[in-house]
């Protein structure tokens, strides 16, 4: 009974809230291994501290690694060894797990792909502006999702899957879940935020197709791959503060809308939207999602600018 949790962008804001919420929601008798990835190692340590408030040391361990997802030249050499090592440990725990209750998933591998940035804000981005946004918000995130899922898809990986039938016919099932943290900007054109809108939309489509591709491939017996695009709403984060106060080229109507969210107390608390997401991932309270689905925490029709 093990859970492997990867969270990118876990050093603050929504990423931190999601990592902490998993600790609050996780079953105490299950082992939780968390791998936190972000640029700021010191802030990751603060996320670790908050997570440890809710977990017994005997069932919880955490690994933090400083990774800049905007630098593609070193991304694979930094992240691939971490992924391989953690998957190897997870596979071993799966293979030795007992199957006490039939037809229920005992082991979970979860990727929360949260790292990202608005990128350049303003009209007429330069070539370098476009490249930087695409690298961080599309290339690195889709690459990581693909590498993660390869460990559970027999047809793609071509190697022994993580869930091997044990002697006597028992199988320790694994539920692999990938969450693409997206935005309402993926579906609503937002003036002066073309790069954020475009990369968010492209990432959503990629994960929708990835979910479809996985459904047509053979996965380890008793296991399942699920992919969700989750829009958390307009969260009360540094990003919102920056949009209101530090982006001179932001469209005036968009700025006024962002200011109205703060003035009227309409910004989403990261803890609240994180709780909703974790419920769906863990299928708590009878709610979940269909693989390939996109879910909005806040109704997109309420975004008026």
């Amino acid at each position: 009974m093990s859970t492997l949790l990867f969270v990118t962008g876990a050093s603050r804001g929504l990423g931190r809230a999601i990592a902490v919420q998993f600790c609050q929601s996780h079953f105490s008798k299950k082992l939780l291994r968390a791998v936190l990835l972000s640029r700021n190692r010191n802030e990751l340590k603060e996320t670790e501290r908050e997570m440890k408030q809710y977990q017994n040391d005997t069932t919880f361990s955490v690994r933090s690694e400083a990774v800049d997802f905007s630098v593609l030249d070193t991304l694979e050499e930094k992240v691939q060894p971490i992924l391989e090592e953690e998957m190897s440990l997870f596979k071993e725990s799966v293979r030795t797990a007992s199957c006490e209750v039939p037809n229920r998933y005992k082991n979970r591998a979860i990727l929360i792909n949260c790292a990202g940035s608005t990128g350049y804000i303003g009209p007429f981005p330069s070539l370098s502006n476009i490249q930087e946004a695409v690298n961080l918000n599309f290339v690195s995130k889709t690459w990581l999702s693909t590498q993660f899922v390869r460990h559970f898809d027999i047809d793609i990986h071509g190697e022994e899957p993580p869930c091997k039938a044990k002697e006597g016919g028992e199988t320790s099932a694994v539920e692999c879940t990938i969450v693409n943290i997206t935005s309402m900007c993926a579906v609503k054109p937002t003036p002066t935020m073309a790069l954020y809108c475009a990369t968010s939309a492209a990432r959503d489509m990629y994960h929708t197709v990835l979910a479809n591709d996985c459904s047509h491939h053979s996965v380890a017996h008793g296991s399942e791959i699920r992919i969700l695009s989750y829009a958390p709403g307009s969260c009360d984060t540094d990003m919102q503060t920056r949009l209101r106060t530090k982006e001179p080229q932001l469209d005036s109507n968009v700025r006024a809308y962002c200011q109205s969210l703060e003035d009227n107390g309409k910004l989403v608390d990261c803890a609240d939207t994180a709780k909703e997401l974790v419920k769906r991932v863990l299928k708590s309270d009878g709610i979940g999602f269909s693989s390939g689905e996109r879910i909005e925490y806040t109704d997109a029709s309420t975004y008026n600018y």
Side-chain angles (χ1 to χ4, degrees):
M1 296 171 61
S2 300
T3 296
L4 174 62
L5 171 68
F6 272 74
V7 183
T8 71
S11 60
R12 57 185 174 176
L14 181 62
R16 175 181 289 176
I18 292 171
V20 172
Q21 186 60 45
F22 266 104
C23 283
Q24 291 180 269
S25 304
H26 201 262
F27 300 108
S28 61
K29 294 183 179 180
K30 295 189 71 174
L31 298 174
L32 173 61
R33 171 66 168 175
V35 181
L36 310 178
L37 306 175
S38 188
R39 286 181 294 185
N40 192 312
R41 190 183 299 274
N42 290 334
E43 290 183 345
L44 284 176
K45 292 300 181 183
E46 176 59 24
T47 303
E48 281 189 39
R49 188 193 65 77
E50 291 189 27
M51 294 174 76
K52 288 176 179 177
Q53 296 179 23
Y54 302 99
Q55 284 290 319
N56 186 311
D57 289 341
T58 61
T59 60
F60 170 70
S61 61
V62 61
R63 173 180 184 176
S64 295
E65 297 285 351
V67 176
D68 189 341
F69 283 91
S70 67
V71 183
L72 298 188
D73 290 344
T74 59
L75 183 63
E76 188 168 15
E77 68 182 60
K78 284 188 175 181
V79 176
Q80 193 69 37
I82 299 170
L83 189 59
E84 294 293 337
E85 181 180 344
E86 294 296 334
M87 282 295 181
S88 178
L89 293 171
F90 177 67
K91 290 174 185 181
E92 186 59 32
S93 71
V94 168
R95 287 172 184 154
T96 58
S98 62
C99 190
E100 298 174 357
V101 183
N103 302 319
R104 290 187 61 187
Y105 290 107
K106 304 301 186 308
N107 305 285
R108 292 184 171 102
I110 302 166
L111 168 63
I112 308 295
N113 226 334
C114 193
S117 170
T118 56
Y120 169 82
I121 292 179
F124 319 124
S126 67
L127 179 60
S128 62
N129 294 150
I130 296 169
Q131 190 67 67
E132 288 169 5
V134 170
N135 286 353
L136 175 57
N137 290 343
F138 181 74
V139 178
S140 67
K141 298 181 82 166
T142 54
W143 173 80
L144 182 58
S145 291
T146 304
Q147 293 304 306
F148 199 85
V149 81
R150 283 171 66 90
H151 286 271
F152 301 91
D153 193 309
I154 298 170
D155 290 349
I156 293 175
H157 201 244
E159 297 179 4
E160 185 179 89
C163 264
K164 179 184 177 182
K166 302 193 309 187
E167 292 183 10
E170 285 187 349
T171 300
S172 294
V174 171
E175 184 176 83
C176 169
T177 302
I178 295 174
V179 178
N180 162 45
I181 298 297
T182 184
S183 166
M184 62 89 184
C185 289
V187 296
K188 183 175 178 61
T190 305
T192 65
M193 296 184 68
L195 291 179
Y196 188 58
C197 291
T199 52
S200 297
R203 198 171 62 250
D204 282 9
M205 180 56 74
Y206 183 90
H207 283 86
T208 299
V209 176
L210 183 61
N212 182 70
D213 288 345
C214 289
S215 70
H216 292 297
H217 282 236
S218 299
V219 296
H221 177 66
S223 299
E224 180 184 6
I225 297 173
R226 305 186 308 153
I227 299 175
L228 169 68
S229 288
Y230 181 75
S234 296
C235 296
D236 190 4
T237 61
D238 291 345
M239 171 182 162
Q240 273 291 325
T241 301
R242 183 164 49 80
L243 290 177
R244 294 192 305 269
T245 63
K246 297 181 179 179
E247 292 292 348
Q249 295 194 85
L250 182 67
D251 178 80
S252 59
N253 290 329
V254 176
R255 187 189 312 281
Y257 171 74
C258 292
Q259 187 63 53
S260 72
L261 292 176
E262 184 190 46
D263 294 344
N264 297 315
K266 297 295 185 180
L267 288 171
V268 175
D269 189 304
C270 289
D272 292 339
T273 190
K275 184 175 182 179
E276 176 68 17
L277 172 60
V278 172
K279 274 186 181 180
R280 291 185 179 275
V281 171
L282 299 181
K283 293 184 279 194
S284 305
D285 299 336
I287 65 172
F289 64 89
S290 300
S291 188
E293 188 176 2
R294 175 193 163 89
I295 293 176
E296 293 266 2
Y297 182 75
T298 306
D299 185 353
S301 66
T302 64
Y303 294 101
N304 299 314
Y305 44 76

